Amino acid sequence: MTVVPAIGGKIWGAVEKSTGKEFIYFNHSVKFRNIAMRGHWTSGGVELNFGIIGHAPTTAAPVDYFTRQNDDGSASCFVVAFDLITRTWWQVEINLKPDKAFFTTSTIWRNTTPFPRPYYHCMNAGYRAADDLVFIFPGQYYIGHGGDVHSFPLDEQGRELSRYAAHTFGGAKSMHVMGNYNDFYGACYENDRLSSMHHSPFNDKLGVKIFLWGLSRSGMIREDLLTDTDGQYVELQSGRLYNQAATESGFTPFRQYAFAPCATDTWTEYWYPVKETGGIAKAHDMGALNIVRTGDNVTISLSPVQRIDD
């Protein structure tokens, strides 16, 4: 894993060591563009956002950090920042264990003021775009930033939105997938032997979102603007609320809540590669599995990320 405290404490990339392949999009270029709240922003890795909607002011700025070797043999990098807009304080411990095939991000977020503050958070992770990319997001609907509801994975025109290659229409898209009680999502590459998975308890991360620039020229130009050698990417995000609310969604059940005075929130997320399953039906902190029925035969493929004892 690579962590860059100088650029928002971002997890810049992660590699599965037995194959040498990246399971988090690793951008070998740093090309800032006018996208974030303060303007400059760069793509790739896992980005940490707290405070108000959008790519937070800290995403491209230096944050405080320290590293620690732990008694269990794991290594931790703590990244810490104070959000000047909301006056809230956050810390993320990025932990990598020697005997596990995942890393975790454990978050503490505090509103130390006596006033309610805006409540917005997302972990924004980049994944390599490819024609064989399938979004593993259990759900029957998606909502937009304004709370508008659409069907998923097939839209009203019958297009399979769970496939990256199907997005040959329109421009950039944001889809907050919902409708199923699940605690995982991921990026599956059908022609590859390596996919990527995110797991966290549903009650910790209600919101799961797919963002892509789209395959039109207005979207694909971002490849040249944001990288030199690593190709197009997509963003898969986990959030504390069902969606990243725009102004108009204040009139829907998907309202933006306030961060209560003197409140503290904590949660942990798991990130890991998935090998040779041919798809993903279910994932947990023990690993991911797929189930395929062919006639009278059922094949179960398991990609564990830690030892499973008898």
Side-chain angles (χ1 to χ4, degrees), residues 73-307:
S74 68
S76 294
C77 179
F78 295 81
V79 290
V80 185
F82 181 72
D83 180 63
L84 292 173
I85 297 177
T86 62
R87 318 300 292 181
T88 61
W89 173 92
W90 58 264
Q91 171 189 286
V92 178
E93 178 188 2
I94 305 160
N95 178 263
L96 186 62
K97 299 183 185 301
D99 58 344
K100 306 289 191 294
F102 58 72
F103 69 88
T104 57
T105 52
S106 298
T107 299
I108 301 174
W109 188 20
R110 293 176 178 166
N111 176 12
T112 58
T113 77
F115 307 103
R117 295 300 185 185
Y119 193 94
Y120 169 78
H121 160 76
C122 82
M123 291 289 205
N124 176 26
Y127 298 84
R128 175 178 57 88
D131 288 341
D132 66 330
L133 170 59
V134 178
F135 303 119
I136 306 298
F137 276 67
Q140 300 152 322
Y141 310 97
Y142 81 85
I143 57 177
H145 290 288
D148 46 301
V149 181
H150 307 273
S151 61
F152 185 88
L154 297 179
D155 68 5
E156 291 78 6
Q157 287 73 42
R159 295 175 292 214
E160 195 168 355
L161 302 180
S162 59
R163 292 185 173 273
Y164 175 76
H167 291 269
T168 55
F169 62 97
K173 302 176 181 66
S174 293
M175 299 175 285
H176 302 87
V177 181
M178 60 191 307
N180 282 7
Y181 187 95
N182 272 299
D183 52 13
F184 70 95
Y185 65 82
C188 179
Y189 299 91
E190 291 186 320
N191 300 331
D192 206 335
R193 302 176 71 179
L194 190 72
S195 298
S196 190
M197 186 55 52
H198 170 276
H199 161 72
S200 62
F202 177 80
N203 291 334
D204 284 346
K205 283 299 184 80
L206 302 176
V208 292
K209 173 187 168 185
I210 303 167
F211 172 83
L212 50 90
W213 290 109
L215 279 70
S216 63
R217 291 181 63 189
S218 65
M220 295 307 290
I221 194 175
R222 296 292 178 175
E223 179 178 344
D224 295 328
L225 293 175
L226 292 170
T227 190
D228 290 329
T229 60
D230 295 291
Q232 187 61 284
Y233 75 102
V234 300
E235 298 172 16
L236 306 185
Q237 305 178 15
S238 66
R240 292 284 283 170
L241 304 178
Y242 274 119
N243 78 331
Q244 297 157 3
T247 301
E248 57 268 29
S249 66
F251 302 100
T252 75
F254 312 111
R255 293 180 178 87
Q256 188 86 345
Y257 291 95
F259 200 175
C262 302
T264 298
D265 277 359
T266 63
W267 64 88
T268 297
E269 302 170 63
Y270 294 77
W271 313 77
Y272 58 84
V274 178
K275 296 173 59 177
E276 302 182 30
T277 60
I280 301 165
K282 185 65 177 177
H284 198 255
D285 58 7
M286 299 300 292
L289 63 83
N290 194 31
I291 303 173
V292 177
R293 180 184 294 275
T294 306
D296 295 331
N297 298 318
V298 175
T299 302
I300 300 176
S301 302
L302 174 65
S303 179
V305 293
Q306 56 182 301
R307 182 180 179 87

